[in-house]
């Protein structure tokens, strides 16, 4: 399907108020393109496996919105122009000239694949399904991972920190609980390293297909890695299905604020002496998570770092 694409060039300082102004006249879903770096607070609320590279902030923003060709677009655009001219009387909105082009629907889920290629986490090789294992690497521990719409390629520092801890702590036949399993990469690594079973929990239904496909391409038996949808922090049904004092290892590569809430519950699912491998912790949140783990009854075993990210491994 073709769409009419409208673009206006403004200042980054004015982008929020312009978006609100456009919304008032019925233009929703504005796409913002600028070079503003993410704030510390924004970074603490997200993971990005394939991080964009930004040039220096130049206070320029491009706003894009899309309208169907059969709509009365001219009336909407004229209303937008009038509102922008009125806004110009009160603040600097830059050029703010609306230009029109046409665009078509794209397979957005697959377009990111051009940025994701095979890579290494120490002696583990992670390969997407559309690439072959490089010649000479056949003897490495090879994982075939496609994240699909679920988080977790192994490229992000937080995932790599967890993988390295799994290499230290997985033993033959151990049982793993993977909280926030995403693509299933940590469970699959665990099983490849010798774990007997893994149970993943996640809130996002998108992980169902991602986990299924990644299990199949890595030859993981169905009974070895199962998945439950739901929040293990406060959902009694999920807690009961997971089972208590059952796991040798828990992995939790999620946000620090969630780890604080998770700690007092997840200790109930670990065997005595079992460990939790946490990641997704910005360095500014390290002490907060460590304190939550201690308060829940854990002893800190090891803290590892990569970039600004921290992994805390603790023992029950």
């Amino acid at each position: 399907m073709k769409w009419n694409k409208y673009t206006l060039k403004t200042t980054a300082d004015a982008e929020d108020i312009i978006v609100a102004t456009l919304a008032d006249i019925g233009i929703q879903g504005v796409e913002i393109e600028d070079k503003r770096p993410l704030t510390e607070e924004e970074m603490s609320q997200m993971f990005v496996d394939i991080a964009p590279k930004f040039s220096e902030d130049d206070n320029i923003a491009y706003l894009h919105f899309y309208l169907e060709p059969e709509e009365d677009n001219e009336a909407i655009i004229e209303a937008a122009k009038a509102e922008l001219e009125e806004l110009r009387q009160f603040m600097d909105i830059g050029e703010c000239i609306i230009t029109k082009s046409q665009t078509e629907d794209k397979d957005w889920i697959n377009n990111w694949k051009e940025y994701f290629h095979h890579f290494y986490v120490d002696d583990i090789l992670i390969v997407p399904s559309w690439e072959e294992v490089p010649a000479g690497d056949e003897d490495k521990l090879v994982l075939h991972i496609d994240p699909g719409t679920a988080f977790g390629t192994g490229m992000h520092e937080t995932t790599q920190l967890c993988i390295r801890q799994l290499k230290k702590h997985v033993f033959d036949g151990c049982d793993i609980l993977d909280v926030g399993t995403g693509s299933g990469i940590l469970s699959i690594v665990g099983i490849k390293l010798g774990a007997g079973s893994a149970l993943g929990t996640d809130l996002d239904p998108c992980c169902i297909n991602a986990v299924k496909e990644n299990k199949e391409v890595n030859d993981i038996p169905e009974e070895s890695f199962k998945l439950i949808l739901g929040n293990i922090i406060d959902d009694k049904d999920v807690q009961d299905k997971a089972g208590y004092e059952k796991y040798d290892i828990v992995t939790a590569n999620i946000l620090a604020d969630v780890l604080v809430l998770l700690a007092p519950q997840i200790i109930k699912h670990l065997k005595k002496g079992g460990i939790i491998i946490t990641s997704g912790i910005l360095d500014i949140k390290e002490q907060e998570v460590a304190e939550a783990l201690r308060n829940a009854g854990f002893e800190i075993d090891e803290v590892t770092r990569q970039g600004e990210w921290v992994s805390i491994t603790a023992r029950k």
Side-chain angles (χ1 to χ4, degrees):
M1 175 179 176
K2 291 185 181 295
W3 294 80
N4 287 339
K5 177 181 179 180
Y6 297 89
T7 300
L8 59 90
K9 181 180 178 181
T10 183
T11 66
D13 291 335
E15 63 189 30
D16 288 340
I17 193 166
I18 291 177
V19 169
T21 299
L22 295 175
D24 287 342
I25 61 173
I27 297 174
Q28 306 289 338
V30 178
E31 175 187 335
I32 299 174
E33 178 186 349
D34 63 26
K35 295 177 182 176
R36 284 276 163 96
L38 296 173
T39 66
E40 212 169 66
E41 181 179 357
E42 289 168 334
M43 283 295 296
S44 71
Q45 297 300 315
M46 66 184 297
F47 291 123
V48 182
D49 265 21
I50 305 171
K53 297 185 183 300
F54 294 107
S55 304
E56 186 176 349
D57 181 19
D58 54 11
N59 198 34
I60 294 174
Y62 295 90
L63 308 185
H64 311 284
F65 57 91
Y66 303 84
L67 300 173
E68 294 185 32
E70 60 269 21
E71 292 180 352
D72 185 9
N73 294 339
E74 290 306 314
I76 296 175
I77 298 305
E78 289 304 315
K81 289 178 179 178
E83 291 291 331
L84 291 171
E85 285 307 309
E86 184 173 341
L87 191 59
R88 194 188 297 277
Q89 309 305 313
F90 304 98
M91 65 183 300
D92 177 16
I93 60 172
E95 297 176 13
C96 240
I97 298 171
I98 300 176
T99 58
K100 176 182 174 182
S101 59
Q102 273 203 330
T103 186
E104 295 189 30
D105 288 339
K106 295 182 179 179
D107 186 358
W108 298 110
I109 290 177
N110 289 313
N111 281 354
W112 59 269
K113 289 182 177 180
E114 65 182 286
Y115 304 105
F116 181 39
H117 305 287
H118 74 270
F119 62 99
Y120 303 85
V121 181
D122 300 336
D123 58 348
I124 296 176
L125 171 63
I126 298 174
V127 184
S129 62
W130 53 93
E131 288 190 2
E132 298 293 329
V133 175
D137 282 340
E138 294 83 0
D139 60 339
K140 292 189 180 295
L141 177 57
V142 178
L143 268 71
H144 300 275
I145 294 293
D146 290 352
T149 54
F151 169 79
T153 63
M155 189 174 287
H156 196 277
E157 292 96 328
T158 62
T159 313
Q160 294 184 22
L161 285 166
C162 286
I163 289 173
R164 292 188 177 101
Q165 290 303 104
L166 282 169
K167 287 175 62 181
K168 293 179 184 179
H169 294 284
V170 168
F171 59 87
D172 286 347
C174 70
D175 296 309
I176 296 174
L177 175 59
D178 184 11
V179 180
T181 196
S183 67
I185 183 171
L186 295 180
S187 292
I188 292 170
V189 168
I191 292 170
K192 290 275 191 180
L193 290 171
S197 71
L199 175 71
T201 71
D202 206 293
L203 302 177
D204 190 348
C206 289
C207 73
I208 295 174
N209 285 335
V211 166
K212 180 176 183 294
E213 292 169 4
N214 287 328
K215 282 167 57 175
E216 289 175 354
V217 75
N218 286 285
D219 298 319
I220 303 297
E222 179 65 29
E223 64 275 11
S224 296
F225 178 13
K226 296 183 179 179
L227 176 66
I228 300 175
L229 279 185
N231 191 344
I232 199 168
I233 293 174
D234 57 15
D235 188 327
K236 186 66 164 54
D237 184 52
V238 174
Q239 295 165 1
D240 290 344
K241 286 179 179 176
Y244 303 94
E245 297 187 344
K246 180 178 177 181
Y247 299 94
D248 301 287
I249 299 172
V250 169
T251 56
N253 182 20
I254 45 185
L255 295 172
D257 292 344
V258 181
L259 290 170
V260 169
L261 299 175
L262 178 69
Q265 175 58 43
I266 208 64
I267 197 167
K268 302 173 186 176
H269 300 278
L270 273 168
K271 298 174 183 176
K272 186 176 181 180
I275 65 164
I276 181 169
I277 299 169
T278 69
S279 193
I281 308 164
L282 277 171
D283 48 18
I284 59 172
K285 295 275 191 176
E286 176 185 339
Q287 295 308 315
E288 183 180 342
V289 175
E291 183 179 356
L293 289 167
R294 292 190 187 99
N295 290 341
F298 287 99
E299 293 181 355
I300 306 300
D301 262 12
E302 185 179 11
V303 178
T304 56
R305 297 175 173 83
Q306 188 171 341
E308 61 187 342
W309 297 97
V310 176
S311 171
I312 300 175
T313 299
R315 190 173 302 273
K316 178 177 176 179

